[in-house]
Amino acid sequence: MSMQQHKLQGIYTLEGWKKRLLLTKNIISGQQVYGEEIIKERNEEFRVWDPSKSKLCAALMKGVSQIGIKPGSIVLYLGAASGTTVSHVSDLVGKEGFVFAVEFAPRVLRELVFVAEKRNNIAPILADANQPQQYYYQVLPVDAIYQDIAQRNQVEIFLKNVYLFLKHGGFALLAVKARSINVAEKPKRIFSQVRQELEKHLTIVDYRELEPFQKDHCLFVCKKR
Amino acid sequence: MEALLYSSILGTFLVEAKKGRLIEKILFSQQNVLDRATALRQGAWIQEEVAVLKKYPNAKITYLGFKEKENIPVTHALETLELVSNAIQEAIAFPPWQERSIMITRKAIRDAFKPELLIIQAVENIAELDKVANILGKRLREWFGYYLPEFSLGNQEKFVSLILEKSKEVLLKELKVRREESMGAEFQKEDVEEMLALAKTMQELFALRKKHEEYLERNMQKTMPNVQAIAGTVIGAKLLALTGTLKRLATFPASTLQVLGAEKALFRHLKTGSRPPKYGILHEHPLIAKAKREKRGKVARGLADKISIAAKVDYFKGAFIGEKLRKELEKKFQ
């Protein structure tokens, strides 16, 4: 077993017996966020990133070529929940970067506030991502947007935020949950509808379905023209 | 001069529109920030913005952001936001930005609390207490079976209170079983006490459940009297637990309320075209339980309609019409 730099900056891999792990460098030594495994190597600490808990990690495991989030990036994260994936994004952008984390449910955001207090690169925001005017004064222009919201109009929400906050040439990542757009439709068809909608406004760089880590999910990596 | 007016959680800024030079900045004090953030979120004009507008009466000012009442032009163009945030870079360092965000979010989470959330906690705990009492009850009966297997009772609560109340002698006498005939073994005093300690704990659980029910009754009376009158305390509370907030309960269509709690059957219906569910959690309601099988769907529809009306009245704090709605329903279906 040996730790290696992933082809994308800020991400590390550990080849194990049969299993390959993805990790991020822990910016707060000795602090776990959600009970994940911590691996130490040469005075540095790495947190294991679980693809069954994080769609972004699942996409990386499926070999996505680019995510546009790297050390120093300013990121808008929509649908932050209790901060599982956010904590890894926070590791990834490091101390030079920053994450605006928007979440609608007070109950789960509570956990994220505790995470944000320890890490000084996350700003938690309680607001409805569908109404960016609620947090317009709390977010600055960003290098990347990541959205994971299980809403029927998730594409519309995504495009609204991309329009308002994403710098030109910046990356926009959308995790699509087919089941929350339409339960009766076949996931493949929903994904292709989403693709058509996105292509009107953005350039699609990469696309991955997240089986077997997440059922009926996919991730679009887009770039703002 | 053309200029851009912009407020963030740190302060209000005026930036020259062409060259992006910072003309004016008024930072919020630590005490003011929560007030200002709330006002900005609602799209109200704050005093700092008004002061800047007054100070530069001759400038052509465009507001960068969202405002409820617009008396000056407004923009949300990304290029403008970039220009402004570059201009005020010294004032928007990330550490204070994060600190302010956390402050604002802490307050927002505190404010998001609603009294009906307590109803949900209570009704969910009642369900959990039932589950726990069942598990413990099974164990207690197993345990007691070595001691006095002849004594058994369907009702969990009665069983527990009787074995606590009456000694083995009394119970044997009541069952008309002689000690030598019983299949139960003789227990040491300590062994009996250990077993009865479990029974005692169960009795306390039953008491807690009762207390929760009374609490629920009172609390529902205050927050959602109309829904309570039609659906009943427990079903009303369960409907609330399934929707999450009174607002959601009030805004859901009656057809959704009708099948709440039958999601599995509903989605199976949508996916495969199997028969749709007639009712979810409402099946516990006495009107439906009493109705004939073939009438149940119809009753569920009517019931859901009335609950939906009641929830809307409760949410907007209207008058008490629950009794009237319930009478209408009963008249129709009896």
Side-chain angles (χ1 to χ4, degrees), chain A residues 149-171:
Chain A
I149 293 179
Q151 282 292 324
R152 183 169 283 224
N153 63 340
Q154 44 187 291
V155 179
E156 184 197 330
I157 297 174
F158 183 64
L159 291 172
K160 261 190 214 175
N161 282 282
V162 164
Y163 169 75
L164 284 175
F165 300 114
L166 185 63
K167 290 179 191 164
H168 291 286
F171 280 82

PDB file of all heavy atoms in Angstrom, chain A residues 149-171:
ATOM      1  N   ILE A 149     -29.007  18.624  -4.972  1.00  0.00           N
ATOM      2  CA  ILE A 149     -30.302  18.926  -4.366  1.00  0.00           C
ATOM      3  C   ILE A 149     -31.350  18.005  -4.973  1.00  0.00           C
ATOM      4  O   ILE A 149     -31.488  17.944  -6.184  1.00  0.00           O
ATOM      5  CB  ILE A 149     -30.698  20.396  -4.638  1.00  0.00           C
ATOM      6  CG1 ILE A 149     -29.758  21.341  -3.895  1.00  0.00           C
ATOM      7  CG2 ILE A 149     -32.132  20.655  -4.203  1.00  0.00           C
ATOM      8  CD1 ILE A 149     -30.046  22.799  -4.121  1.00  0.00           C
ATOM      9  N   ALA A 150     -32.061  17.282  -4.124  1.00  0.00           N
ATOM     10  CA  ALA A 150     -33.077  16.365  -4.632  1.00  0.00           C
ATOM     11  C   ALA A 150     -34.398  17.112  -4.800  1.00  0.00           C
ATOM     12  O   ALA A 150     -35.293  17.001  -3.979  1.00  0.00           O
ATOM     13  CB  ALA A 150     -33.237  15.177  -3.688  1.00  0.00           C
ATOM     14  N   GLN A 151     -34.466  17.930  -5.825  1.00  0.00           N
ATOM     15  CA  GLN A 151     -35.695  18.669  -6.089  1.00  0.00           C
ATOM     16  C   GLN A 151     -36.114  18.441  -7.524  1.00  0.00           C
ATOM     17  O   GLN A 151     -35.277  18.213  -8.395  1.00  0.00           O
ATOM     18  CB  GLN A 151     -35.461  20.179  -5.904  1.00  0.00           C
ATOM     19  CG  GLN A 151     -35.442  20.631  -4.456  1.00  0.00           C
ATOM     20  CD  GLN A 151     -36.786  20.513  -3.794  1.00  0.00           C
ATOM     21  OE1 GLN A 151     -37.812  20.746  -4.419  1.00  0.00           O
ATOM     22  NE2 GLN A 151     -36.789  20.127  -2.526  1.00  0.00           N
ATOM     23  N   ARG A 152     -37.395  18.539  -7.766  1.00  0.00           N
ATOM     24  CA  ARG A 152     -37.910  18.335  -9.105  1.00  0.00           C
ATOM     25  C   ARG A 152     -37.305  19.347 -10.092  1.00  0.00           C
ATOM     26  O   ARG A 152     -36.975  19.023 -11.213  1.00  0.00           O
ATOM     27  CB  ARG A 152     -39.427  18.454  -9.064  1.00  0.00           C
ATOM     28  CG  ARG A 152     -40.097  18.188 -10.374  1.00  0.00           C
ATOM     29  CD  ARG A 152     -41.566  18.064 -10.146  1.00  0.00           C
ATOM     30  NE  ARG A 152     -41.885  16.759  -9.572  1.00  0.00           N
ATOM     31  CZ  ARG A 152     -42.908  16.030  -9.986  1.00  0.00           C
ATOM     32  NH1 ARG A 152     -43.697  16.481 -10.918  1.00  0.00           N
ATOM     33  NH2 ARG A 152     -43.163  14.864  -9.434  1.00  0.00           N
ATOM     34  N   ASN A 153     -37.157  20.596  -9.638  1.00  0.00           N
ATOM     35  CA  ASN A 153     -36.645  21.626 -10.552  1.00  0.00           C
ATOM     36  C   ASN A 153     -35.154  21.895 -10.340  1.00  0.00           C
ATOM     37  O   ASN A 153     -34.690  23.020 -10.440  1.00  0.00           O
ATOM     38  CB  ASN A 153     -37.444  22.918 -10.392  1.00  0.00           C
ATOM     39  CG  ASN A 153     -37.292  23.505  -9.007  1.00  0.00           C
ATOM     40  OD1 ASN A 153     -36.921  22.788  -8.076  1.00  0.00           O
ATOM     41  ND2 ASN A 153     -37.545  24.778  -8.848  1.00  0.00           N
ATOM     42  N   GLN A 154     -34.412  20.811 -10.061  1.00  0.00           N
ATOM     43  CA  GLN A 154     -33.001  20.996  -9.729  1.00  0.00           C
ATOM     44  C   GLN A 154     -32.192  21.654 -10.846  1.00  0.00           C
ATOM     45  O   GLN A 154     -31.263  22.409 -10.574  1.00  0.00           O
ATOM     46  CB  GLN A 154     -32.361  19.687  -9.299  1.00  0.00           C
ATOM     47  CG  GLN A 154     -32.702  18.483 -10.146  1.00  0.00           C
ATOM     48  CD  GLN A 154     -32.153  17.207  -9.522  1.00  0.00           C
ATOM     49  OE1 GLN A 154     -30.974  17.008  -9.486  1.00  0.00           O
ATOM     50  NE2 GLN A 154     -33.018  16.345  -9.040  1.00  0.00           N
ATOM     51  N   VAL A 155     -32.562  21.406 -12.102  1.00  0.00           N
ATOM     52  CA  VAL A 155     -31.798  21.992 -13.206  1.00  0.00           C
ATOM     53  C   VAL A 155     -32.003  23.508 -13.246  1.00  0.00           C
ATOM     54  O   VAL A 155     -31.057  24.275 -13.427  1.00  0.00           O
ATOM     55  CB  VAL A 155     -32.206  21.354 -14.550  1.00  0.00           C
ATOM     56  CG1 VAL A 155     -31.435  21.980 -15.691  1.00  0.00           C
ATOM     57  CG2 VAL A 155     -31.958  19.854 -14.516  1.00  0.00           C
ATOM     58  N   GLU A 156     -33.253  23.910 -13.034  1.00  0.00           N
ATOM     59  CA  GLU A 156     -33.582  25.342 -13.023  1.00  0.00           C
ATOM     60  C   GLU A 156     -32.809  26.056 -11.904  1.00  0.00           C
ATOM     61  O   GLU A 156     -32.222  27.122 -12.120  1.00  0.00           O
ATOM     62  CB  GLU A 156     -35.091  25.462 -12.800  1.00  0.00           C
ATOM     63  CG  GLU A 156     -35.628  26.860 -12.857  1.00  0.00           C
ATOM     64  CD  GLU A 156     -37.024  26.930 -12.221  1.00  0.00           C
ATOM     65  OE1 GLU A 156     -37.763  25.925 -12.263  1.00  0.00           O
ATOM     66  OE2 GLU A 156     -37.340  27.985 -11.660  1.00  0.00           O
ATOM     67  N   ILE A 157     -32.796  25.466 -10.713  1.00  0.00           N
ATOM     68  CA  ILE A 157     -32.077  26.034  -9.574  1.00  0.00           C
ATOM     69  C   ILE A 157     -30.593  26.191  -9.924  1.00  0.00           C
ATOM     70  O   ILE A 157     -29.979  27.225  -9.693  1.00  0.00           O
ATOM     71  CB  ILE A 157     -32.215  25.126  -8.335  1.00  0.00           C
ATOM     72  CG1 ILE A 157     -33.668  25.024  -7.902  1.00  0.00           C
ATOM     73  CG2 ILE A 157     -31.359  25.630  -7.187  1.00  0.00           C
ATOM     74  CD1 ILE A 157     -33.920  24.030  -6.773  1.00  0.00           C
ATOM     75  N   PHE A 158     -30.055  25.129 -10.525  1.00  0.00           N
ATOM     76  CA  PHE A 158     -28.647  25.090 -10.908  1.00  0.00           C
ATOM     77  C   PHE A 158     -28.312  26.246 -11.860  1.00  0.00           C
ATOM     78  O   PHE A 158     -27.377  27.011 -11.629  1.00  0.00           O
ATOM     79  CB  PHE A 158     -28.394  23.735 -11.575  1.00  0.00           C
ATOM     80  CG  PHE A 158     -26.982  23.458 -11.981  1.00  0.00           C
ATOM     81  CD1 PHE A 158     -25.984  23.350 -11.033  1.00  0.00           C
ATOM     82  CD2 PHE A 158     -26.662  23.252 -13.315  1.00  0.00           C
ATOM     83  CE1 PHE A 158     -24.680  23.050 -11.410  1.00  0.00           C
ATOM     84  CE2 PHE A 158     -25.368  22.953 -13.701  1.00  0.00           C
ATOM     85  CZ  PHE A 158     -24.384  22.859 -12.742  1.00  0.00           C
ATOM     86  N   LEU A 159     -29.127  26.392 -12.899  1.00  0.00           N
ATOM     87  CA  LEU A 159     -28.840  27.413 -13.912  1.00  0.00           C
ATOM     88  C   LEU A 159     -28.950  28.830 -13.341  1.00  0.00           C
ATOM     89  O   LEU A 159     -28.158  29.709 -13.674  1.00  0.00           O
ATOM     90  CB  LEU A 159     -29.766  27.237 -15.115  1.00  0.00           C
ATOM     91  CG  LEU A 159     -29.484  25.975 -15.940  1.00  0.00           C
ATOM     92  CD1 LEU A 159     -30.546  25.764 -16.997  1.00  0.00           C
ATOM     93  CD2 LEU A 159     -28.099  26.040 -16.577  1.00  0.00           C
ATOM     94  N   LYS A 160     -29.924  29.035 -12.464  1.00  0.00           N
ATOM     95  CA  LYS A 160     -30.079  30.331 -11.806  1.00  0.00           C
ATOM     96  C   LYS A 160     -28.799  30.721 -11.083  1.00  0.00           C
ATOM     97  O   LYS A 160     -28.323  31.850 -11.197  1.00  0.00           O
ATOM     98  CB  LYS A 160     -31.166  30.221 -10.726  1.00  0.00           C
ATOM     99  CG  LYS A 160     -32.524  30.725 -11.115  1.00  0.00           C
ATOM    100  CD  LYS A 160     -33.388  30.756  -9.857  1.00  0.00           C
ATOM    101  CE  LYS A 160     -34.812  30.426 -10.200  1.00  0.00           C
ATOM    102  NZ  LYS A 160     -35.667  30.326  -9.024  1.00  0.00           N
ATOM    103  N   ASN A 161     -28.258  29.774 -10.312  1.00  0.00           N
ATOM    104  CA  ASN A 161     -27.069  30.066  -9.521  1.00  0.00           C
ATOM    105  C   ASN A 161     -25.830  30.223 -10.393  1.00  0.00           C
ATOM    106  O   ASN A 161     -24.973  31.053 -10.112  1.00  0.00           O
ATOM    107  CB  ASN A 161     -26.851  28.984  -8.466  1.00  0.00           C
ATOM    108  CG  ASN A 161     -27.784  29.170  -7.287  1.00  0.00           C
ATOM    109  OD1 ASN A 161     -27.551  30.015  -6.438  1.00  0.00           O
ATOM    110  ND2 ASN A 161     -28.873  28.413  -7.263  1.00  0.00           N
ATOM    111  N   VAL A 162     -25.764  29.403 -11.457  1.00  0.00           N
ATOM    112  CA  VAL A 162     -24.648  29.525 -12.387  1.00  0.00           C
ATOM    113  C   VAL A 162     -24.651  30.925 -12.997  1.00  0.00           C
ATOM    114  O   VAL A 162     -23.627  31.598 -13.083  1.00  0.00           O
ATOM    115  CB  VAL A 162     -24.745  28.452 -13.495  1.00  0.00           C
ATOM    116  CG1 VAL A 162     -23.837  28.791 -14.672  1.00  0.00           C
ATOM    117  CG2 VAL A 162     -24.389  27.082 -12.939  1.00  0.00           C
ATOM    118  N   TYR A 163     -25.837  31.396 -13.384  1.00  0.00           N
ATOM    119  CA  TYR A 163     -25.970  32.709 -13.998  1.00  0.00           C
ATOM    120  C   TYR A 163     -25.511  33.819 -13.044  1.00  0.00           C
ATOM    121  O   TYR A 163     -24.799  34.730 -13.450  1.00  0.00           O
ATOM    122  CB  TYR A 163     -27.427  32.929 -14.424  1.00  0.00           C
ATOM    123  CG  TYR A 163     -27.732  34.342 -14.817  1.00  0.00           C
ATOM    124  CD1 TYR A 163     -27.298  34.859 -16.037  1.00  0.00           C
ATOM    125  CD2 TYR A 163     -28.440  35.188 -13.957  1.00  0.00           C
ATOM    126  CE1 TYR A 163     -27.558  36.171 -16.389  1.00  0.00           C
ATOM    127  CE2 TYR A 163     -28.698  36.503 -14.306  1.00  0.00           C
ATOM    128  CZ  TYR A 163     -28.257  36.990 -15.521  1.00  0.00           C
ATOM    129  OH  TYR A 163     -28.502  38.291 -15.866  1.00  0.00           O
ATOM    130  N   LEU A 164     -25.903  33.717 -11.788  1.00  0.00           N
ATOM    131  CA  LEU A 164     -25.621  34.804 -10.844  1.00  0.00           C
ATOM    132  C   LEU A 164     -24.192  34.800 -10.303  1.00  0.00           C
ATOM    133  O   LEU A 164     -23.612  35.849 -10.072  1.00  0.00           O
ATOM    134  CB  LEU A 164     -26.579  34.737  -9.658  1.00  0.00           C
ATOM    135  CG  LEU A 164     -28.009  35.211  -9.879  1.00  0.00           C
ATOM    136  CD1 LEU A 164     -28.836  34.954  -8.645  1.00  0.00           C
ATOM    137  CD2 LEU A 164     -28.040  36.697 -10.225  1.00  0.00           C
ATOM    138  N   PHE A 165     -23.625  33.612 -10.056  1.00  0.00           N
ATOM    139  CA  PHE A 165     -22.404  33.581  -9.249  1.00  0.00           C
ATOM    140  C   PHE A 165     -21.173  32.986  -9.921  1.00  0.00           C
ATOM    141  O   PHE A 165     -20.061  33.212  -9.468  1.00  0.00           O
ATOM    142  CB  PHE A 165     -22.657  32.810  -7.944  1.00  0.00           C
ATOM    143  CG  PHE A 165     -23.739  33.403  -7.092  1.00  0.00           C
ATOM    144  CD1 PHE A 165     -24.924  32.718  -6.857  1.00  0.00           C
ATOM    145  CD2 PHE A 165     -23.571  34.652  -6.511  1.00  0.00           C
ATOM    146  CE1 PHE A 165     -25.919  33.270  -6.068  1.00  0.00           C
ATOM    147  CE2 PHE A 165     -24.556  35.208  -5.714  1.00  0.00           C
ATOM    148  CZ  PHE A 165     -25.734  34.525  -5.499  1.00  0.00           C
ATOM    149  N   LEU A 166     -21.353  32.175 -10.984  1.00  0.00           N
ATOM    150  CA  LEU A 166     -20.182  31.467 -11.526  1.00  0.00           C
ATOM    151  C   LEU A 166     -19.412  32.334 -12.526  1.00  0.00           C
ATOM    152  O   LEU A 166     -19.988  32.876 -13.467  1.00  0.00           O
ATOM    153  CB  LEU A 166     -20.623  30.161 -12.200  1.00  0.00           C
ATOM    154  CG  LEU A 166     -19.481  29.276 -12.696  1.00  0.00           C
ATOM    155  CD1 LEU A 166     -18.603  28.803 -11.554  1.00  0.00           C
ATOM    156  CD2 LEU A 166     -20.018  28.081 -13.476  1.00  0.00           C
ATOM    157  N   LYS A 167     -18.092  32.436 -12.297  1.00  0.00           N
ATOM    158  CA  LYS A 167     -17.248  33.193 -13.215  1.00  0.00           C
ATOM    159  C   LYS A 167     -17.204  32.492 -14.578  1.00  0.00           C
ATOM    160  O   LYS A 167     -17.332  31.273 -14.666  1.00  0.00           O
ATOM    161  CB  LYS A 167     -15.814  33.270 -12.667  1.00  0.00           C
ATOM    162  CG  LYS A 167     -15.676  34.138 -11.439  1.00  0.00           C
ATOM    163  CD  LYS A 167     -14.226  34.124 -10.983  1.00  0.00           C
ATOM    164  CE  LYS A 167     -14.088  34.754  -9.622  1.00  0.00           C
ATOM    165  NZ  LYS A 167     -12.802  34.431  -8.991  1.00  0.00           N
ATOM    166  N   HIS A 168     -16.959  33.275 -15.627  1.00  0.00           N
ATOM    167  CA  HIS A 168     -16.841  32.677 -16.958  1.00  0.00           C
ATOM    168  C   HIS A 168     -15.648  31.739 -16.995  1.00  0.00           C
ATOM    169  O   HIS A 168     -14.593  32.045 -16.453  1.00  0.00           O
ATOM    170  CB  HIS A 168     -16.704  33.768 -18.019  1.00  0.00           C
ATOM    171  CG  HIS A 168     -17.985  34.532 -18.176  1.00  0.00           C
ATOM    172  ND1 HIS A 168     -19.095  34.014 -18.805  1.00  0.00           N
ATOM    173  CD2 HIS A 168     -18.355  35.752 -17.723  1.00  0.00           C
ATOM    174  CE1 HIS A 168     -20.074  34.877 -18.748  1.00  0.00           C
ATOM    175  NE2 HIS A 168     -19.665  35.950 -18.095  1.00  0.00           N
ATOM    176  N   GLY A 169     -15.833  30.567 -17.617  1.00  0.00           N
ATOM    177  CA  GLY A 169     -14.771  29.566 -17.643  1.00  0.00           C
ATOM    178  C   GLY A 169     -14.760  28.706 -16.389  1.00  0.00           C
ATOM    179  O   GLY A 169     -13.977  27.773 -16.286  1.00  0.00           O
ATOM    180  N   GLY A 170     -15.646  29.014 -15.451  1.00  0.00           N
ATOM    181  CA  GLY A 170     -15.697  28.235 -14.220  1.00  0.00           C
ATOM    182  C   GLY A 170     -16.463  26.932 -14.411  1.00  0.00           C
ATOM    183  O   GLY A 170     -17.210  26.768 -15.376  1.00  0.00           O
ATOM    184  N   PHE A 171     -16.250  26.005 -13.493  1.00  0.00           N
ATOM    185  CA  PHE A 171     -16.887  24.700 -13.603  1.00  0.00           C
ATOM    186  C   PHE A 171     -18.188  24.630 -12.806  1.00  0.00           C
ATOM    187  O   PHE A 171     -18.290  25.204 -11.720  1.00  0.00           O
ATOM    188  CB  PHE A 171     -15.947  23.608 -13.106  1.00  0.00           C
ATOM    189  CG  PHE A 171     -14.924  23.215 -14.132  1.00  0.00           C
ATOM    190  CD1 PHE A 171     -13.775  23.969 -14.309  1.00  0.00           C
ATOM    191  CD2 PHE A 171     -15.138  22.108 -14.929  1.00  0.00           C
ATOM    192  CE1 PHE A 171     -12.846  23.620 -15.268  1.00  0.00           C
ATOM    193  CE2 PHE A 171     -14.208  21.754 -15.892  1.00  0.00           C
ATOM    194  CZ  PHE A 171     -13.065  22.502 -16.059  1.00  0.00           C
TER     195      PHE A 171
END
